[in-house]
Amino acid sequence: MWLLVARQPVPDAPYWPGRRLLAAVDAMAWPAAWVLLVQVSPWPLGIVGAVVTAWAVWAGLGRMRQAVWINHRYRFTTWRWGRGLVAVLVFGAVIKLALL
């Protein structure tokens, strides 16, 4: 039995001055970080490194297109992953303080 649930579409992101430029930086920073991670790896990655690099370049181009030309639909990756990372860091700091 198939159950289909239609969700509401995500509303357009609000526009503010500088959003397009910041979105472009965010769009290229994450794929560039992946390429840098592959390049400075202490282990030889071989074909996996080449595939990850190619995928990161392809994803970066798509993200850049969306960040510049379809900016109202672009969601910041740094904001999405940064919230979770900050929550984990705060949780770890609270545990560290509790154990002192």
Side-chain angles (χ1 to χ4, degrees), residues 52-73:
V52 169
T53 301
W55 172 83
V57 169
W58 185 257
L61 291 173
R63 289 167 51 85
M64 180 60 90
R65 181 187 64 85
Q66 186 176 15
V68 173
W69 286 291
I70 315 171
N71 190 263
H72 61 280
R73 290 290 181 191

Side-chain angles (χ1 to χ4, degrees), residues 10-30:
V10 178
D12 290 349
Y15 181 78
W16 36 271
R19 185 181 199 284
R20 196 172 302 272
L21 177 65
L22 194 58
V25 170
D26 182 71
M28 292 310 295
W30 287 93

Side-chain angles (χ1 to χ4, degrees), residues 36-45:
L36 182 67
L37 191 67
V38 166
Q39 297 298 321
V40 300
S41 173
W43 304 285
L45 296 177

